[in-house]
Amino acid sequence: MRTQVGIVGAGPAGLLLAQMLHQRGIDAVVLEARSRAHVESRIRAGLLEQGAVETMDEAGVAGRLHRDGLVHHGLQLRFGGQGHRVDLSGLTGGKVVTIYGQQEAVKDMIAIRLAAGLPLHFEVDDVAVHDIATARPRITWRQDGQDRALDCDVIAGCDGFHGICRPSIPPAALTVFDRAYPFAWLGILSRSPPMSEELVYARHADGFALATMRSRSVSRLYLQCAPDEDLSAWSDDRIWSALRRRLGDTLEEGPILQKGVTAMRSFVAEPMRHGRLFLAGDAAHIVPPTGAKGMNLAIADVRVLVCALEAFFAGRGEALMDAYSATCLDRVWKVQRFSWWMTQLLHRYDDHDAFEERVRMAELDYLAGSTAALTTLAENYVGLPYAV
Ligand code: FAD
Ligand code: PHB
């Protein structure tokens, strides 16, 4: 078998890339380790920047997103027991963010690809990439008990943080930047109406909490916990009382549909390309979820990669492919900075450095009262302008 672009991973990055290449007449084969049911039910991100929605629109995959997504013009910061509204639209010349579950976007893109009869293989085992430093890279895998191989012009490593593509690059060719945080998030999905129309980010003496949503009747709530938190120690009652203390008594309770613990990490691998292997999304970088940026950054990478591959396959040379990593990393580091900043500002640190605590409180207080500071937050939150 052969194709122009072999794509490893059917998450938001791999599926969007496949669709945007298809629009430009470039062939791709997508290989996914897990089952369709698994990737369609994996509950993760929920917040899309304005540019991410526009990108999905241009890609022709935003039909249901526009019907079911919830458009937000602002958010609330809560500290010292009080809420402070951040007018995202007012501060950014009318920009908005949209709540739409990542797994819903994944479902939409899978359905569109399969309906068009385009190649997307689930439950593939032992995926490996070969000859990535040559002009004829190859992917091998096992499927239905048989060994398979795919010759490609280019391989896109869209296989997430735990995938095989990044580790296939010789370690000496990569520089890794890594930071683990001394806390995690316990997240629940609950059948209960959102506590407010907009997201609430709360800093509290007990720790951070976030009230977000998936629909008008389903809430998504997170609370700061220990990195090695034992979920079985958290009864539903304990979760609700911790959330109410941090977010306020107006929080309505409901049956908990799902719960899990998410570790928090900042990570970047540079460069995002080795020969004909291009990394995109979580395969190259991850951010703590406080800034709601992971999926958005994956989409931004894909835009840059599509431009570079379009030029390459149209015979316009490799200049944009050569620029891919630097172009992406420019945004990646700005987004890393924002995600780190939101995280350290809103979380409780148990080492309790009293000086830093006071500085954080002063920064929040300054933020709430300064249009300049709020504008900085707002323009990062709705999404910085794209390079391409
Ligand atoms: P992934 O979604 O990880 O997709 C990679 C795919 O590759 C997976 O389907 C995986 O099964 C597959 N794969 C792995 N290994 C192989 C292999 N060897 N062979 C074949 N396939 C393989 N981001 C936001 O933008 N906004 C948010 O609000 C937000 N909130 C979040 C909340 C939580 C609790 C979490 C955990 C994450 C959140 N994120 C958020 C981050 C976001 O979910 C990720 O950044 C996003 O999934 C990245 O997409 P991706 O396609 O790069 O990687
Ligand atoms: C979500 O809706 O899951 C979500 C929203 C904002 C974040 C993180 C997660 O910062």
Side-chain angles (χ1 to χ4, degrees), residues 339-379:
S339 302
W340 161 83
W341 175 77
M342 285 280 280
T343 301
Q344 59 84 35
L345 189 61
L346 294 171
H347 286 73
R348 170 191 145 133
Y349 283 79
D350 278 337
D351 55 11
H352 199 77
D353 181 323
F355 180 84
E356 284 190 15
E357 282 293 302
R358 287 283 201 279
V359 168
R360 282 190 201 108
M361 288 310 292
E363 180 161 12
L364 273 170
D365 208 36
Y366 167 65
L367 181 65
S370 160
T371 306
L374 286 171
T375 304
T376 299
L377 188 163
E379 71 184 17

Side-chain angles (χ1 to χ4, degrees), residues 9 12-13 32-34 42 44-46 102 159 282 292-296:
E32 167 58 49
R34 311 301 297 257
R42 204 165 35 193
R44 294 174 104 187
Q102 175 173 322
D159 51 348
D282 279 18
K293 290 295 176 209
M295 175 165 56
N296 291 299

